[in-house]
Amino acid sequence: MAENSGTSSEVWKDASLPDEVRVEALMSRMSVAEKIAQLYGVWVGIDNEDGEMAPHQHEFGLLTVSWDELVRDGIGQLTRPFGTTPVAVVKGATTLAAAQRSIVEAGRWGIPALVHEEILTGLAAWKAPVYPSPLCWGATFDPELIERMGARIGAAMRRLGVHQGLAPVLDVARDLRWGRVEETIGEDPLLVGTIGSAYVRGVQSAGVIATLKHFVGYSASRAGRNLAPVSAGPREIADVLLPPFEMALRAGADSVMNSYADIDGMPVAADRRLLTDLLRDTYGFTGTVVADYFSIPFLQSLHNVAGSPTEAARLALQAGVDVELPTVNCFGKDLVQAVQSGEVDEALVDRALRRVLLQKCRLGLLDEGWTPEPEVLEEAARAAAEDPDFEDVVLDDAEARAIAAEVARRSVVLLSNTGALPLRPGLRLAVVGPRADTPNAMMGCYSFPLHVGVHHPEVGVGIDVPTVVDALRGDPAGYDVRYAQGCPVVGGDDEGIAEAARLAADADVCLAVLGDEAGLFGRGTSGEGCDSADLRLPGRQEELLEAVLATGTPVVLVLLAGRPYELARQADRLAAAVCAFFPGEEGARALADVLSGRVDPSGRLPVGFPGDGSVQPSTYLAAPLGQRSQVSTSDPTQLFPFGHGLSYAPATWGDISGEAGGAWATDGTFDVRVVLSNDAATPVSEVVQVYLHDPVAEVARPVQSLLAAPRVDLAPGETREVTITLHADQTSYTGAAGRRQVDPGEVELRVGASSADIRKTITVQMTGPRREVGFDRVMTAEVTVTSPALPA
């Protein structure tokens, strides 16, 4: 029973006092066991028979002690009460309230648990909206839109009593074979950081916590294999992998999750240099570091750097991990005994505990008057009083679907078009392919239906997710739609492919809807633990594509995938190609809007498509010898480059200019101006991309890297002038001495519509002394959009 409940001696419940005073007062009263209990999560309701939702869950996921025994000393976090099994909203909230009440009443100090859930494509709960995947966020190049989506997700969390969401993923895509590319925002650190920071601001605007994943290096694993060792050097880490985290920390993120990987042999979960010296001492981070699921026991079982769970716990605490997730493995009774015996320094526990309790103060969990009842229960009570037929609270409402649709439409990328698109009304369409008539094609591996619901087929998807066939058959353009699968994502037979070809031969246009099945640990072709040996389309899908191309009917490829695939053998024979990655619950309707021409395609590629040679993973961020050269027969040139995206009625580019004189102080700013016009009768949108090329530097730098990419919307007949104010800090890089520096000398600003479609190169002389810059450097450009001045 909570001690002295409601009395003035409970200083830690007085919200008028500084958080530090409250926390120190509480910590001074706590036993070692009570302290450590605040440092782990508990995953109640997990059942290994339902299939795995985390790596090695079957080894570490089940609790070995009873609930009553656990709550005696308190519980730091509750893991996924809505995201473990399908549960109705009101029932789940009622169960959560009961669990919180039990925790508060059983412990001496009345400390509630912090509740976390996955939020990568929206709150991962049954019947909650499924938003587009992070690659779609990147394809929008629209941080304001992603911030609005994040705010909606954060508000849903708060309604349900969820305090922490495990997103965004800020890993920069480095190898397209990696299964988790679908969870990344893209291959450029500025794009990842800009979009990821917007998501953080949106989520945390609701008074809840966003969690930055996976700090750091996870996406640079050898051969694109999940959890494989990372061989990235300190310069790649500093200049490519860390900047998105720096940007999101400056946006206010209050939690960070460590990477599973080891970098040059050092597991991140045991690396003090990264989790304390860099994250805390250099970046000034004051929130919590939570362990990626089971990454602390992995120090013993996978990395072999600990001889026991207690040693793994000590290494993690020393490094700077504060909370063990998803459940207690290493931070349990043995750690309590080790601290009591002096084997593990209690100061390490106190350091982590202080961060956890300060965070709970910021969330209001320690305030007098805190209630375990989530807001949604009050909503449900009001609704039930007004409507005798009320059954449950609706999460997937019209506002959520409207935002999901806007993100989906904004993210569709038109890769190529010979004039087949937009589709004319009334056409006979042969729609073929394994992604054409399944709602799964719209969703990523961390969506609730594919992450959890797949283990519970008896309950259904829970929300309306139209398929491409559904959307086209219901389209107001009146298409005559015939469908044949052709082949599954993996497998299939000759007859299925032949049937699809016969259908295509009798149509005006064939839509080949191909791509991935998202899943976990081998249950898909994309997703966590679903890495690819090469970048050919999975299974027999390339055979299917060749079969329909051979009919002579114009073929439009619609790709619904978690990664770009190698399309070089078919690209020049396609009538058009469209990529939508995993566009969420409104994705099929968004595709129909674009295919019909009601919406002009405006997405831009956040990851480039590989050229000929599907085992040559490469991003556009490559130094000269990482480009096509005379000393290698392997050509990494991208087929569809980073930033690429076509339009039915592209904006007209007018004057492109830099500041008069062409000089840029090494501590100053430089303006680039671009005039855009819309000569069409429909709205259009352009992304003005500015890249840096540094001809001479101390180290081999990427040939070009993104400095700014503002999206500009233009009404019919409108002309706008875009002024992009760049700061010299944005040209900085990690020099030969290992410090970030801004150099004097000549640089080029390449302005264009993609990394390969450069409309003008502006040569600028940077003047002044070399400068060293750090975490507080300017990382983003300022953008102003105005009507251009009329000529005198």
Side-chain angles (χ1 to χ4, degrees):
M1 189 68 77
E3 184 175 291
N4 298 325
S5 180
T7 69
S8 60
S9 63
E10 293 183 298
V11 175
W12 56 92
K13 292 190 175 182
D14 186 350
S16 69
L17 294 174
D19 290 349
E20 291 77 8
V21 172
R22 299 169 67 189
V23 167
E24 293 304 325
L26 179 54
M27 287 178 59
S28 68
R29 292 164 166 81
M30 297 172 73
S31 68
V32 170
E34 290 167 336
K35 290 178 177 181
I36 291 174
Q38 290 298 310
L39 306 185
Y40 55 73
V42 173
W43 199 349
V44 177
I46 191 67
D47 184 350
N48 288 338
E49 297 302 316
D50 286 339
E52 298 212 345
M53 291 177 278
H56 292 264
Q57 176 187 310
H58 62 283
E59 296 177 43
F60 300 111
L62 296 182
L63 288 171
T64 57
V65 296
S66 69
W67 174 261
D68 289 342
E69 186 178 352
L70 277 171
V71 298
R72 189 178 305 130
D73 292 318
I75 291 176
Q77 290 210 20
L78 287 173
T79 293
R80 293 167 59 168
F82 293 95
T84 298
T85 59
V87 58
V89 176
V90 172
K91 181 180 179 181
T94 302
T95 302
L96 174 58
Q100 288 281 39
R101 197 173 296 110
S102 171
I103 293 167
V104 168
E105 292 176 353
R108 289 196 298 159
W109 313 115
I111 307 172
L114 186 150
V115 179
H116 80 260
E117 294 282 358
E118 298 286 356
I119 59 166
L120 191 67
T121 57
L123 177 63
W126 192 44
K127 297 189 176 182
V130 175
Y131 294 97
S133 65
L135 276 180
C136 294
W137 312 353
T140 70
F141 277 74
D142 191 338
E144 290 78 13
L145 175 58
I146 302 308
E147 184 169 344
R148 284 200 287 120
M149 182 189 73
R152 180 74 190 185
I153 293 168
M157 292 167 58
R158 189 177 183 90
R159 287 173 71 195
L160 271 59
V162 177
H163 310 106
Q164 180 171 7
L166 304 187
V169 170
L170 297 182
D171 299 298
V172 177
R174 300 299 284 164
D175 189 326
L176 299 178
R177 296 173 297 180
W178 189 44
R180 301 191 80 169
V181 166
E182 68 166 73
E183 300 177 46
T184 73
I185 295 169
E187 68 180 51
D188 180 86
L190 177 68
L191 177 65
V192 174
T194 301
I195 298 293
S197 297
Y199 183 78
V200 167
R201 287 192 298 271
V203 169
Q204 295 198 164
S205 69
V208 294
I209 297 169
T211 307
L212 312 183
K213 300 161 55 173
H214 305 85
F215 190 83
V216 63
Y218 188 29
S219 59
S221 57
R222 293 178 193 160
R225 295 179 61 246
N226 196 39
L227 271 69
V230 171
S231 301
R235 189 164 288 103
E236 180 181 357
I237 293 170
D239 290 355
V240 177
L241 302 179
L242 282 172
F245 291 94
E246 296 179 77
M247 294 173 72
L249 289 170
R250 287 159 58 165
D254 203 31
S255 191
V256 170
M257 176 177 276
N258 67 273
S259 162
Y260 281 128
D262 73 75
I263 301 175
D264 193 27
M266 174 59 74
V268 174
D271 194 341
R272 177 185 170 86
R273 293 171 302 169
L274 287 174
L275 299 184
T276 295
D277 297 350
L278 181 65
L279 182 61
R280 303 284 185 184
D281 298 344
T282 300
Y283 294 169
F285 178 61
T286 58
T288 56
V289 173
V290 298
D292 202 349
Y293 282 18
F294 308 120
S295 62
I296 298 178
F298 286 174
L299 294 175
Q300 179 186 9
S301 64
L302 299 184
H303 292 295
N304 296 344
V305 297
S308 68
T310 300
E311 187 177 358
R314 177 181 59 79
L315 289 173
L317 286 168
Q318 285 177 337
V321 177
D322 302 313
V323 180
E324 180 178 22
L325 296 181
T327 200
V328 55
N329 284 283
C330 300
F331 281 20
K333 287 183 177 180
D334 289 347
L335 179 60
V336 172
Q337 293 171 2
V339 172
Q340 291 172 334
S341 69
E343 180 184 347
V344 174
D345 189 351
E346 187 172 354
L348 295 174
V349 172
D350 286 347
R351 182 177 68 172
L353 176 65
R354 186 171 290 108
R355 295 165 182 161
V356 166
L357 293 180
L358 283 169
Q359 189 172 72
K360 289 190 173 185
C361 276
R362 292 192 290 273
L363 290 167
L365 294 178
L366 300 187
D367 293 356
E368 188 71 54
W370 173 87
T371 174
E373 310 290 326
E375 295 173 8
V376 74
L377 292 182
E378 186 177 340
E379 292 178 42
R382 288 195 303 268
E386 296 170 2
D387 180 4
D389 297 324
F390 171 79
E391 294 183 356
D392 203 5
V393 170
V394 175
L395 299 177
D396 190 28
D397 58 19
E399 183 181 346
R401 297 195 73 95
I403 294 176
E406 189 176 353
V407 176
R409 286 192 294 266
R410 198 76 145 170
S411 66
V412 175
V413 183
L414 180 60
L415 299 175
S416 64
N417 188 20
T418 62
L421 296 180
L423 298 171
R424 298 191 313 276
L427 286 176
R428 291 175 301 146
L429 300 180
V431 182
V432 306
R435 303 286 78 195
D437 200 27
T438 170
N440 290 5
M442 302 296 147
M443 299 180 287
C445 72
Y446 267 77
S447 65
F448 186 89
L450 297 187
H451 197 79
V452 179
V454 68
H455 305 302
H456 304 272
E458 70 282 0
V459 303
V461 175
I463 56 175
D464 177 32
V465 185
T467 70
V468 172
V469 169
D470 294 335
L472 291 173
R473 282 179 174 160
D475 195 272
Y479 302 121
D480 177 10
V481 176
R482 313 288 176 87
Y483 163 69
Q485 184 190 58
C487 66
V489 172
V490 176
D493 54 39
D494 293 346
E495 178 50 37
I497 293 174
E499 179 190 1
R502 287 192 292 270
L503 199 70
D506 194 37
D508 296 320
V509 174
C510 174
L511 298 183
V513 188
L514 310 180
D516 282 314
E517 174 78 25
L520 298 173
F521 310 113
R523 294 195 303 270
T525 57
S526 173
E528 185 173 3
C530 297
D531 310 317
S532 180
D534 60 39
L535 295 175
R536 291 177 180 266
L537 285 164
R540 301 186 68 179
Q541 292 183 74
E542 186 171 343
E543 291 180 58
L544 173 62
L545 184 57
E546 288 288 356
V548 295
L549 282 167
T551 66
T553 298
V555 176
V556 175
L557 171 64
V558 177
L559 193 65
L560 294 166
R563 62 167 68 84
Y565 281 104
E566 203 261 285
L567 305 174
R569 287 173 296 281
Q570 295 82 32
D572 61 353
R573 291 177 284 147
L574 293 170
V578 171
C579 176
F581 298 110
F582 292 133
E585 64 186 20
E586 286 288 335
R589 293 191 183 102
L591 274 166
D593 287 341
V594 169
L595 293 170
S596 67
R598 286 187 301 276
V599 171
D600 189 61
S602 63
R604 300 294 185 265
L605 286 179
V607 282
F609 273 66
D612 190 17
S614 61
V615 295
Q616 176 58 40
S618 178
T619 77
Y620 93 98
L621 277 179
L625 288 178
Q627 312 280 330
R628 182 178 182 178
S629 73
Q630 298 179 6
V631 295
S632 173
T633 56
S634 179
D635 183 0
T637 303
Q638 294 178 331
L639 175 66
F640 299 118
F642 174 82
H644 170 74
L646 303 179
S647 169
Y648 297 145
T652 299
W653 287 60
D655 184 56
I656 303 172
S657 61
E659 287 188 24
W664 186 0
T666 55
D667 62 353
T669 61
F670 187 87
D671 286 351
V672 173
R673 293 182 177 86
V674 179
V675 176
L676 298 173
S677 299
N678 178 10
D679 301 326
T682 57
V684 301
S685 187
E686 181 62 276
V687 178
V688 179
Q689 301 170 43
V690 181
Y691 295 88
L692 173 73
H693 171 63
D694 189 351
V696 180
E698 279 191 351
V699 299
R701 301 188 68 184
V703 171
Q704 56 185 9
S705 55
L706 190 66
L707 293 182
R711 180 178 280 282
V712 183
D713 294 329
L714 299 164
E718 186 176 30
T719 297
R720 305 287 273 171
E721 182 177 79
V722 186
T723 301
I724 302 169
T725 301
L726 303 166
H727 195 281
D729 289 3
Q730 294 178 261
T731 70
S732 66
Y733 67 99
T734 302
R739 293 187 291 272
R740 181 172 289 278
Q741 62 194 48
V742 178
D743 288 349
E746 183 179 284
V747 297
E748 292 178 3
L749 300 177
R750 300 177 175 180
V751 185
S754 81
S755 59
D757 182 6
I758 301 301
R759 305 296 174 89
K760 185 170 184 177
T761 298
I762 301 170
T763 301
V764 182
Q765 189 71 29
M766 302 197 70
T767 60
R770 171 178 289 167
R771 295 173 53 240
E772 288 189 5
V773 296
F775 178 68
D776 60 350
R777 69 192 183 279
V778 177
M779 299 185 73
T780 56
E782 294 184 5
V783 177
T784 305
V785 181
T786 59
S787 297
L790 296 174

